[in-house]
Amino acid sequence: MAVLTINGKRHEAAVDPETPLLWVLRDTLGMTGTKYGCGIAQCGACTVHVDGVPVRSCSLPVSAVGDAKITTIEGLAEGGRLHKIQQAWLEGDVPQCGYCQSGMIMAAAALLAEKPNPTDADIDAAMTNICRCGTYQQVRAAIHAAAKA
Amino acid sequence: MDAIASISRRSFLVGSVAGAFSLGFDIPFARSQGTSAVREINAWVVVHPDDRVVIRIARSEMGQGTLTGLAQLVAEELECDWSRVSTEFPTPGQNVARGRVWRNFSTGGSRGIRESHEYVRQGGAAARAMLVSAAAKRWNVAEAECSTSNGVVSHAASGRRLRYGELAAEAATLEPPKDIKLKDVKDWKIAGKGVKRLDTAPKVDGTLVYGIDLRLPGMLTATIRDCPVQGGKLKGFDAAKVDRMPGVRKVVAVDGTAVAVIADSYWQARKALEALPVEWDMGPGAGTSSATIDAMLTEGLTAENVFIGTRVGDAKAAIAGAAKVVEAVYSYPYQNHATMEPMNATAIWTADRCEVWCPTQNGESALAAAAEAAELPVAKCDVHKAFLGGGFGRRGRSDYVRQAVLIARQMPGTPVKLVWSREEDMMHCAFHPVTKCKLTGALDASGKLVGLHMRISGQSILASLAPQGLQNGMDPVVFQGLNAGGTEGQFGYDVPNLLVDHAMRNTHVLAGFWRGVNLNHNAIYVECFMDELARAAGEDPLAFRRRYLKPKHRAVLDAAAERIGYGKPVPGRFHGVAQIMGFGSYVAAVAEVSVKEGQLKIHRIVAATDPGTVVNPAQIERQVAGSFVYGLSAALYGECTVKDGAIEQTNFDTYPVLRMDEMPHVETVLVPSGGFWGGVGEPTIGVAAPAVLNAIFAATGKRIRSLPVAKHDLRSA
């Protein structure tokens, strides 16, 4: 039985300890905002925060989470108010198909928490998520906009 | 009540609570069928008493923004309040039941807007006329005395006003008008503007339910492995080895070629499928490799028996009599669509009914595939379309829909969600076709281009996926961008002697529609070779092209060249140009690159598009920038190779794509010349690769004629 703290709430999941966190979130707990893209930590669609650090949940066995606090896209807004990254995404009309955007937003939120005024080079280094629609230009602009907000 | 009706109703109710739009699985017309008092004005428009307007969208939304663009067109003619507009997808089953009132659901070929703009605008205009008629009746005045704006009908003479929400119920009972006059583009207030997308909010908080996210009561999850070699068969499997693994419910054969594990969750199904001993009959394709395919294509470059696509004058005679002959052979590899959301579909089957929820670019073909697999009449089946996590042509096929239904049939009454692994997705699609091209150009003594022969050798998409579309064996789609004339994709240069022919060489690896389709390689072939001809003629590549380009082709190239400051790059950087016509639009690009110690950096791209008519400039800009990411991913890194008949690349580690740090700055220039409607999702992908390849030549003197760029050494010799 895995006991997890997700978005400030305690959850129990009766799963094989080797099950990746991604599938516990999606299938066991019904939190489908975190996406499956590749399963090998390449694309970043499954990015969540583990104690504030962006982690690719497809490659993290649930047994390795321990007591760490997990934040998913569902928990990024606080008190009904969107995170400033989400707000910038809305204002910048960033997503196209949107499938990679949960992961993009989680990666960008972690970047801003660490570097409130990221340079283009910081963005290049932190934002390694894959977007097949090609929203990179809008993603970059929205991160800069959120930093100024 | 049967299980399906119960589930459909429940998921609809969930949708109503959460916002049907955000759930993505709305089942429209539950309202008009009696669960709500709100009746549609016509097939395209529902107006609620509180003035909310629901616009129905037949085409699929996969990120390309067609949903927003089509809604703008309806709203423009309806003259409603744009801030109150939302959308919903009718189902393919409803389309069939209502005599195809929404016409074509198929979403590909950049056709969403350009092939339906007229009838969707007529839908909006008809609804507006009915609202005006209702107001005029109520006021007992002439309709001509009434005007509309922003969701309100006004009668200027008396100062009276009625909101659409107050008139909708009455309007819905009136006869639709017979004569509908559409607005002039110059009078547009909503269409033509760069309004924001209508579907963004649920994409930033994780609430949008994609097909892969669907959860139905009692649902099980399946994952599948198809024969690694296309055309092979499933010989057998040992279910006893895995059927006691946690969560496993059933191991089933699918269609004689694949095996699937059905379990309580995806991870359980996947672990069991990985552990399952399977025996395959790899079939006749097993002896094929990239090398054998290349040899077959090379033979086609000089074959006698070919299909002629374009013939002007006598190219062979011009070449025979030329002062200078230039010849080159190019090639283009297989590519995978690699949509971010892997293939998936959820089906529930009983002996009496079958329902499917899936991301599809072609709702009606998905419905046909579901009915066929279900062995039920179409009227007893339906497909609920989800928003797509990427399409790029991949989801125009319904292979995964068929599989989902065949699996669900083995668990009658239980909803089963089929989810492909990324590995399955990479190995089983209809790939961007593989082709080679031999180009022979004839220059006269003054360096003038007097003849050109393009011999394309390679796969036909239609032969793979839609052989009924072949014309006496010929695949006309092969000649995208190379046609002698026409509104879809004419060859851009006036060359007095031109021959474009095709030696069709098909393999067991299915060829399919991949964003940009045949324009991708055709544009590389023509535009890189034009550069070669310009160099051979001792002329600047832009100046050389301008001498032969037809006016609209030249205009877009000039627009791109002017914006980037052609010929005056930042020191150390180099320009490459390309133009093409495809999907009804004229496009051109200039790339600015540098190559230092063999490292390519693409600094800047300027892309110009003449789509005739612009519906949403902000979304076009995004489509253009995105098309460069897609096109450059393929050009720089993309290659699917074949070994023992199977595709070797199974994930993003072996099929790398462009990421943020390599994204060039893309500037979009729109030069709509009016009078026609061209597509925008795909055309510019055609010029992405050749503009960059030509700039690489300018920077290094190295002419890259085979892709991807990553396998070439760009260091100076």
Side-chain angles (χ1 to χ4, degrees):
Chain A
M1 175 73 71
V3 179
L4 300 164
T5 307
I6 306 168
N7 304 327
K9 284 192 191 139
R10 188 174 180 276
H11 294 267
E12 291 180 357
V15 293
D16 180 325
E18 291 306 305
T19 308
L21 175 61
L22 170 67
W23 296 106
V24 177
L25 291 171
R26 290 180 55 80
D27 281 1
T28 314
L29 303 175
M31 301 167 78
T32 55
T34 305
K35 303 302 184 196
Y36 167 58
C38 69
I40 58 167
Q42 278 279 323
C43 77
C46 64
T47 303
V48 300
H49 296 175
V50 177
D51 282 341
V53 177
V55 168
R56 293 185 174 179
S57 64
C58 72
S59 301
L60 181 70
V62 69
S63 57
V65 174
D67 297 333
K69 290 186 172 58
I70 295 159
T71 307
T72 70
I73 187 73
E74 289 90 349
L76 198 58
E78 278 179 20
R81 283 192 52 187
L82 291 180
H83 186 282
K84 64 180 179 177
I85 278 285
Q86 292 171 303
Q87 194 59 42
W89 244 247
L90 266 185
E91 284 162 15
D93 218 15
V94 172
Q96 289 187 28
C97 88
Y99 191 80
C100 74
Q101 299 289 321
S102 293
M104 283 276 184
I105 287 168
M106 295 309 286
L111 169 64
L112 274 199
E114 197 196 341
K115 294 182 175 164
N117 273 301
T119 63
D120 278 337
D122 293 333
I123 293 172
D124 285 346
M127 301 299 294
T128 57
N129 304 47
I130 293 174
C131 171
R132 291 291 279 156
C133 298
T135 59
Y136 300 128
Q137 200 152 295
Q138 280 72 36
V139 166
R140 184 186 302 282
I143 292 172
H144 284 309
K148 290 191 187 88
Chain B
M1 183 163 51
D2 70 50
I4 290 173
S6 160
I7 283 175
S8 292
R9 202 173 56 95
R10 263 181 288 176
S11 55
F12 172 66
L13 292 175
V14 171
S16 302
V17 172
F21 174 67
S22 67
L23 204 75
F25 288 107
D26 187 22
I27 301 173
F29 322 116
R31 285 185 285 271
S32 42
Q33 284 162 357
T35 56
S36 157
V38 178
R39 183 172 153 183
E40 67 181 35
I41 297 180
N42 61 30
W44 303 98
V45 175
V46 180
V47 179
H48 288 260
D50 64 0
D51 295 335
R52 277 182 301 120
V53 174
V54 178
I55 293 174
R56 300 214 178 104
I57 306 294
R59 309 280 177 159
S60 299
E61 177 57 51
M62 50 190 162
Q64 84 282 34
T66 212
L67 175 147
T68 302
L70 289 169
Q72 281 176 268
L73 291 170
V74 175
E76 179 65 54
E77 295 292 341
L78 181 60
E79 300 232 315
C80 64
D81 177 353
W82 179 249
S83 71
R84 306 302 309 278
V85 169
S86 64
T87 60
E88 66 185 15
F89 299 122
T91 70
Q94 288 157 345
N95 201 33
V96 172
R98 295 182 62 177
R100 298 194 81 229
V101 66
W102 294 283
R103 304 203 202 186
N104 199 351
F105 276 45
S106 174
T107 312
S110 299
R111 289 176 297 132
I113 287 174
R114 65 188 172 116
E115 286 190 359
S116 58
H117 64 87
E118 189 158 346
Y119 58 80
V120 304
R121 285 186 293 155
Q122 283 170 345
R128 175 190 162 275
M130 290 155 80
L131 288 158
V132 166
S133 190
K137 276 201 175 67
R138 207 177 294 180
W139 294 328
N140 201 21
V141 301
E143 288 173 17
E145 292 172 25
C146 301
S147 63
T148 51
S149 176
N150 218 27
V152 174
V153 185
S154 305
H155 183 244
S158 63
R160 282 175 293 187
R161 293 158 54 88
L162 281 168
R163 294 179 294 102
Y164 281 8
E166 299 172 281
L167 294 164
E170 197 175 336
T173 66
L174 302 177
E175 280 295 308
K178 291 209 169 50
D179 297 316
I180 298 171
K181 191 175 176 303
L182 298 178
K183 287 184 182 178
D184 196 306
V185 171
K186 71 174 165 36
D187 299 323
W188 281 357
K189 290 175 287 197
I190 299 169
K193 308 295 181 227
V195 301
K196 287 186 181 173
R197 299 175 65 107
L198 292 171
D199 52 353
T200 300
K203 293 177 179 174
V204 306
D205 63 6
T207 55
L208 182 61
V209 177
Y210 294 86
I212 202 169
D213 301 328
L214 185 70
R215 294 164 65 80
L216 295 173
M219 184 182 82
L220 300 174
T221 301
T223 194
I224 196 164
R225 191 188 306 155
D226 206 340
C227 182
V229 181
Q230 286 179 348
K233 287 189 166 53
L234 176 70
K235 257 163 78 176
F237 55 88
D238 188 357
K241 287 277 196 306
V242 303
D243 61 9
R244 286 188 200 145
M245 285 176 71
V248 172
R249 299 296 187 99
K250 209 169 190 178
V251 184
V252 299
V254 184
D255 238 0
T257 73
V259 59
V261 175
I262 306 167
D264 292 341
S265 72
Y266 174 77
W267 190 250
Q268 292 168 330
R270 182 182 172 122
K271 294 309 281 181
L273 187 60
E274 283 171 0
L276 181 71
V278 185
E279 265 193 277
W280 305 105
D281 166 6
M282 296 296 186
T288 304
S289 68
S290 286
T292 64
I293 294 171
D294 187 73
M296 180 176 71
L297 266 49
T298 301
E299 177 276 322
L301 292 176
T302 51
E304 295 293 323
N305 191 7
V306 293
F307 297 109
I308 293 172
T310 303
R311 179 157 49 189
V312 179
D314 187 341
K316 286 182 179 171
I319 291 163
K324 192 171 190 178
V325 173
V326 181
E327 191 178 290
V329 173
Y330 283 79
S331 63
Y332 193 93
Y334 284 121
Q335 304 287 350
N336 190 301
H337 308 79
T339 60
M340 289 307 300
E341 180 195 21
M343 295 308 111
N344 66 86
T346 302
I348 178 167
W349 183 92
T350 66
D352 190 47
R353 184 138 183 95
C354 178
E355 302 240 2
V356 172
W357 291 257
C358 65
T360 172
Q361 286 177 244
N362 193 341
E364 289 184 297
S365 114
L367 175 60
E372 191 188 331
E375 293 186 66
L376 286 169
V378 168
K380 292 190 167 190
C381 303
D382 209 349
V383 167
H384 307 283
K385 297 197 303 175
F387 281 81
L388 284 63
F392 315 120
R394 174 62 183 89
R395 290 185 159 108
R397 285 180 71 215
S398 302
D399 49 337
Y400 53 97
V401 175
R402 175 177 175 82
Q403 288 177 346
V405 172
L406 291 175
I407 292 167
R409 279 184 68 173
Q410 304 188 57
M411 300 287 275
T414 299
V416 181
K417 175 164 72 176
L418 169 65
V419 176
W420 285 23
S421 67
R422 172 60 59 192
E423 291 77 11
E424 186 69 12
D425 201 287
M426 288 295 297
M427 291 182 73
H428 296 282
C429 78
F431 296 80
H432 185 297
V434 62
T435 59
K436 292 183 84 131
C437 183
K438 180 178 171 186
L439 299 106
T440 313
L443 300 172
D444 70 10
S446 69
K448 187 165 181 270
L449 178 61
V450 292
L452 176 65
H453 178 202
M454 285 182 70
R455 162 62 60 82
I456 300 165
S457 171
Q459 273 189 290
S460 151
I461 297 171
L462 291 189
S464 262
L465 298 188
Q468 70 279 9
L470 296 173
Q471 296 172 0
N472 296 320
M474 183 175 93
D475 177 351
V477 184
V478 160
F479 304 100
Q480 267 189 308
L482 309 175
N483 298 312
T487 56
E488 182 70 12
Q490 71 173 356
F491 189 74
Y493 300 94
D494 276 322
V495 183
N497 301 289
L498 173 68
L499 176 64
V500 187
D501 50 23
H502 178 220
M504 192 187 290
R505 294 293 181 273
N506 295 318
T507 79
H508 74 288
V509 179
L510 282 179
F513 296 95
W514 189 97
R515 189 178 186 179
V517 195
N518 293 304
L519 203 65
N520 292 309
H521 47 261
N522 288 347
I524 291 173
Y525 301 156
V526 172
E527 288 302 303
C528 289
F529 191 64
M530 277 292 157
D531 246 51
E532 298 205 45
L533 288 170
R535 308 277 171 185
E539 206 171 346
D540 172 80
L542 176 64
F544 182 81
R545 282 178 172 80
R546 293 189 81 256
R547 288 214 272 148
Y548 308 102
L549 279 173
K550 295 166 186 168
K552 282 185 196 282
H553 295 256
R554 189 168 58 229
V556 283
L557 185 56
D558 283 348
E562 189 185 334
R563 168 71 70 90
I564 205 164
Y566 179 79
K568 298 183 287 293
V570 172
R573 300 184 188 175
F574 298 85
H575 285 163
V577 307
Q579 68 75 40
I580 199 81
M581 181 189 183
F583 307 95
S585 292
Y586 303 83
V587 297
V590 186
E592 185 171 295
V593 314
S594 63
V595 180
K596 289 197 178 110
E597 290 164 8
Q599 281 295 308
L600 169 70
K601 172 127 180 103
I602 307 167
H603 299 272
R604 187 180 173 207
I605 305 266
V606 172
T609 300
D610 177 2
T613 309
V614 167
V615 175
N616 186 320
Q619 298 313 323
I620 295 179
E621 201 176 303
R622 286 159 174 76
Q623 282 307 293
V624 170
S627 78
F628 277 85
V629 176
Y630 210 72
L632 293 176
S633 290
L636 300 181
Y637 304 113
E639 180 179 36
C640 298
T641 53
V642 181
K643 187 182 177 191
D644 299 331
I647 295 293
E648 293 188 277
Q649 290 69 24
T650 58
N651 210 318
F652 290 116
D653 53 348
T654 46
Y655 190 72
V657 298
L658 202 78
R659 297 182 196 241
M660 178 82 91
D661 60 341
E662 297 159 303
M663 174 72 190
H665 186 65
V666 177
E667 295 165 51
T668 302
V669 182
L670 289 177
V671 284
S673 57
F676 65 98
W677 295 65
V680 296
E682 292 170 276
T684 47
I685 189 175
V687 287
V692 167
L693 294 174
N694 289 336
I696 290 173
F697 179 84
T700 64
K702 292 191 179 213
R703 181 63 67 186
I704 293 174
R705 299 193 185 92
S706 68
L707 296 176
V709 173
K711 71 181 183 190
H712 295 270
D713 185 354
L714 298 183
R715 286 173 298 187
S716 31

